Amino acid sequence: MGALTLIRHNAHRVDVDGHAMLMHVPTTSLFELDGVARDVYDLFRSAPAVDPDLMRARLGRHSPDTLADCLHSFLALDILRDADAADTPRPITKVEEIPLSTIILNVNTGCNLACTYCYKEDLTTPAKGQKMGFHTARASFELLLKQAHARDRVNVVFFGGEPLSNMPLIREVVAYALPRAAELSKTVDFSLTTNATLLTPDLVDWFDAHRFALTVSMDGPKLLHDQNRKTVGGKGTYDLVARNVRMLLARYRSRPVGVRVTLTRGVTDVIGIHDHLKNDLGFHEVGFGPATSGPIAVFNLDQQALQAAFEDMKTLGRRYVEAACRGENIGFSNMHQLLTDIAQGTKKAVPCGAGLGMLAVDKEGDLHLCHRFVGSNQPTYGNVAQGIDVPGGRRIAPWPGYSLLLPTLAQAGRDLSKSCALAARSVRRREALANTTFLRRIAAMGARDEPDISGQISGPGGAGATIGRIWQESRRPLSQTRQKGPGRVR
């Protein structure tokens, strides 16, 4: 073995209550380090490269076998690489099978707003919008049911444009989907993101009765919101949106309502925006997404603005931790989702679900990796009527056995997620916070997503030569968490 080097952005050590923990950034996993792994990690932290001679000189007290097991585990996690090829990325993970769980219906390309940073290439006014018909929506749902045959829960997301501009279709889909899913003993959840300008009390009550997960797009106080979120005629929309949001939050009871903020140049006051949306308007959660790679470069955050936004997110993250230790949730969804993942031991092979468990459908029924690709010149991957395309001209027809494990899909999803997940990834890199009591409280607050608990890294059972166990059972004190048996990365 030649010299190895530490890939510092892939792992962070944090010491909690006398336990040495390692946050693995690529998979959002948390491990406890034993004595050997702690010594190995500290050695690589102290030296730019470590060869066998330095290893023997500094860690000769450990047996060669235990050191080898530990090094192999670190290499498997991409925490260590060959020092001569430190900049060479890992090969693309081949995802063996992720059954479809979510279908996104692009119900109308029309929108009554003309937000300056909007990425949608096919956007137009509601009257000129291309609306999806019920035949396509029904075929989309049937595809979802058949491909998710092993799942007991599926998700339908209504998107646009502004989805409320095609409410007749949404009502028709819900009326069809509920009894159809019940026939197969499945539960169907509905989600919708709206600019809130078209909300009425009757609509809110209907969404409430059907337990929709609602998210509002809003960029903060009036001065900031009105910079970019304007009507087609160029008028700011804050007053109308705020009035409708207050009505929505006063009436909605079935589920918490969240808000998504797009951070753009000049709209980066994360703390002030959060305070207004959470405390003044009353949203349950506030999530932030920075514009960093959109086609309209004038709105993208430059390095200085991005750094300032992340500093605010770190400050807000610390406030979240302090509140959580008091048993409170201040509604910072970026941090809440991250720490929920840690508390549940969620391991992510890929950074987002584009093309893997999730597909978006346009009005023609064509399948896209993600709603962001609908209306773009990116390739499609089949049609709800004919099935899902795979390489070589084959097509997975809409029957059980769906498996989108193509490297092309996975890579396209990764390319997309570089901008989507940037905020969350940066929080992970800077704020790998862990506390047993704290994480139990996070778990108790309730996770919104299905947990994906996965394996551990270990060497010979009882030999002490392991990186440790993934912290899957965070509701228990670490002393009560079972030691896992032998095995490699699984």
Side-chain angles (χ1 to χ4, degrees), residues 133 151 191 217 246 251 265 283 292 296 344 371 422 445:
R151 295 184 181 271
S191 303
S217 296
R246 289 189 175 95
R251 302 176 75 93
R265 199 168 299 183
F283 281 105
T292 57
I296 310 175
Q344 293 181 332
H371 60 277
L422 186 57
M445 287 177 184

Side-chain angles (χ1 to χ4, degrees), residues 176-412:
Y176 176 82
L178 286 172
R180 181 71 180 96
E183 291 175 8
L184 303 177
S185 300
K186 296 183 186 295
T187 299
V188 56
D189 292 313
F190 302 106
S191 303
L192 184 145
T193 298
T194 176
N195 61 36
T197 58
L198 302 178
L199 282 175
T200 66
D202 287 344
L203 280 181
V204 170
D205 292 346
W206 186 82
F207 289 134
D208 199 25
H210 294 91
R211 293 185 50 79
F212 266 62
L214 297 180
T215 300
V216 174
S217 296
M218 193 173 184
D219 288 350
K222 181 178 175 67
L223 182 64
L224 298 180
H225 178 93
D226 283 350
Q227 284 189 37
N228 296 315
R229 302 193 62 82
K230 304 174 184 291
T231 65
V232 175
K235 182 180 178 181
T237 59
Y238 175 86
D239 292 337
L240 173 60
V241 172
R243 183 168 63 251
N244 285 349
V245 162
R246 289 189 175 95
M247 179 271 295
L248 165 68
L249 297 177
R251 302 176 75 93
Y252 213 73
R253 294 291 179 266
S254 60
R255 302 178 73 167
V257 178
V259 58
R260 187 188 187 280
V261 178
T262 300
L263 298 176
T264 55
R265 199 168 299 183
V267 183
T268 56
D269 180 13
V270 170
I271 294 174
I273 293 171
H274 175 271
D275 180 66
H276 177 71
L277 297 176
K278 179 70 171 70
N279 300 321
D280 294 341
L281 292 185
F283 281 105
H284 179 76
E285 284 191 333
V286 183
F288 297 89
T292 57
S293 59
I296 310 175
V298 68
F299 299 109
N300 296 341
L301 299 185
D302 58 23
Q303 190 60 38
Q304 183 177 2
L306 194 60
Q307 184 63 39
F310 285 152
E311 289 300 322
D312 271 5
M313 293 179 80
K314 289 162 62 177
T315 299
L316 194 56
R318 295 186 185 99
R319 293 181 183 177
Y320 176 95
V321 171
E322 294 169 358
C325 288
R326 299 191 303 266
E328 303 170 6
N329 183 358
I330 67 169
F332 179 24
S333 63
N334 302 69
M335 195 72 169
H336 185 76
Q337 187 60 58
L338 167 64
L339 290 172
T340 298
D341 288 344
I342 295 173
Q344 293 181 332
T346 302
K347 179 180 177 182
K348 296 180 179 178
V350 291
C352 86
L356 299 165
M358 176 186 79
L359 288 172
V361 186
D362 63 27
K363 79 174 188 67
E364 303 295 340
D366 290 333
L367 299 170
H368 303 256
L369 292 176
C370 172
H371 60 277
R372 289 177 178 267
F373 288 157
V374 175
S376 74
N377 58 4
Q378 295 293 322
T380 58
Y381 294 88
N383 186 279
V384 295
Q386 286 80 42
I388 302 165
D389 283 344
V390 299
R394 295 185 298 110
R395 176 165 283 170
I396 301 176
W399 59 62
Y402 165 81
S403 180
L404 271 181
L405 36 127
L406 296 43
T408 51
L409 288 177
Q411 184 56 55

